[in-house]
Amino acid sequence: MIEHFAIAIDGPSGAGKSSLARRAAAHFGLIYVDTGAIYRCVGLAAKRAGINTRDAQAVQAILPSLDIRMLYNVTGEQRMYLGDEDVSSDIRLPEISICASNVSAHPAVRAYLLEMQRKMAREHNVIMDGRDIGTVVLPDAELKIFLTASAEARAQRRMLELQGKGIDTTFEDVLKDIELRDYQDTHRAEAPLRQAEDAVLLDTTEFNFDESFGLLCQIIRERLGLIG
Ligand code: DC
């Protein structure tokens, strides 16, 4: 069994990366790093500052003043702070999703957040999810997985998740948001979302959560020799 390793999971919005990676981390005793949450913090801070999140220069200008902290509570849950404020819930608001996608297209933002992500992987055995983990952040990750599902399946799941949190939304709105973010995330010049050549493809369109989790665990066991 390898002693220090990283598992990189990339894929489009709503493919189930976070839920699956979080559960796999608990199952195998790894640290789960949700990198989208970090981009969401930048998106939230820019929105609060009244900045147009598509304006690269304006967003770059606020970066030095941001105090983004990623902390883990006793149950291993990742919490995001801007200074002393816990923004873990605010960053999940639907209007912040597109702000996060907008700011993530700016090279200065990506460069600014790179070291924070790599440091986590140096210090822990991580399962890290995002869009460019296997291609840019951790190109030497011992295991790379590209997790995807059809846009319709992803919209359906995301809608149920949002409604479960009491956020009022429709399938059409969620699908539109997912398609727009897919387009932006795959077409940006800097670190676009794409499957790394050495990544294992896991398409969960036809599978429910438990089935997808079983497949993910099987890949992890086979590739890394982990027990569980
Ligand atoms: O995973 P998420 O939906 O919370 O991510 C929010 C946005 O952040 C997403 O639209 C693209 C961006 N992102 C990114 O560009 N690179 C990452 N590693 C993670 C997220």
Side-chain angles (χ1 to χ4, degrees):
M1 200 176 90
I2 317 169
E3 284 211 348
H4 183 77
F5 58 86
I7 301 174
I9 303 192
D10 292 301
S13 308
K17 298 187 300 290
S18 305
S19 331
L20 289 169
R22 187 178 297 115
R23 189 157 148 199
H27 187 79
F28 290 106
L30 312 173
I31 295 282
Y32 166 54
V33 184
D34 169 4
T35 63
I38 318 175
Y39 287 92
R40 284 173 180 271
C41 283
V42 179
L44 176 68
K47 176 126 207 266
R48 283 182 174 175
I51 286 167
N52 173 359
T53 50
R54 291 184 187 276
D55 183 337
Q57 281 189 345
V59 174
Q60 184 172 0
I62 65 160
L63 292 178
S65 67
L66 295 186
D67 179 14
I68 299 175
R69 300 181 198 174
M70 184 161 54
L71 300 175
Y72 285 81
N73 65 19
V74 282
T75 63
E77 183 194 2
Q78 177 183 333
R79 306 292 299 181
M80 297 305 302
Y81 285 76
L82 277 177
D84 291 330
E85 183 191 354
D86 185 340
V87 293
S88 309
S89 298
D90 287 14
I91 58 171
R92 299 290 156 201
L93 293 169
E95 66 262 30
I96 301 305
S97 299
I98 197 68
C99 294
S101 180
N102 290 344
V103 298
S104 75
H106 307 319
V109 172
R110 305 202 73 83
Y112 179 77
L113 300 181
L114 193 59
E115 178 49 24
M116 191 185 222
Q117 299 169 75
R118 287 187 174 159
K119 185 167 183 284
M120 286 302 292
R122 274 198 304 274
E123 294 177 353
H124 307 276
N125 282 343
V126 295
I127 179 159
M128 185 177 283
D129 82 0
R131 304 296 188 287
D132 62 338
I133 309 305
T135 52
V136 177
V137 179
L138 305 176
D140 297 327
E142 282 68 18
L143 174 60
K144 301 178 186 177
I145 295 169
F146 194 80
L147 190 73
T148 191
S150 71
E152 288 74 17
R154 289 183 282 129
Q156 181 68 21
R157 294 173 194 165
R158 180 56 56 95
M159 183 187 70
L160 294 176
E161 186 189 324
L162 289 171
Q163 287 176 347
K165 287 182 187 161
I167 298 171
D168 191 25
T169 186
T170 64
F171 176 78
E172 286 69 29
D173 282 348
V174 179
L175 181 62
K176 220 185 298 167
D177 171 71
I178 280 194
E179 287 176 340
L180 175 60
R181 285 207 287 150
D182 279 359
Y183 185 86
Q184 288 198 169
D185 296 345
T186 51
H187 286 78
R188 65 183 179 219
E190 188 79 8
L193 169 65
R194 66 174 179 82
Q195 182 178 343
E197 275 169 23
D198 49 352
V200 180
L201 177 67
L202 179 52
D203 184 330
T204 66
T205 305
E206 303 295 334
F207 302 117
N208 66 26
F209 183 78
D210 285 340
E211 291 165 338
S212 306
F213 180 66
L215 291 168
L216 176 62
C217 289
Q218 195 182 329
I219 296 170
I220 294 174
R221 281 193 297 265
E222 280 174 12
R223 296 295 179 113
L224 297 178
L226 298 194
I227 298 158

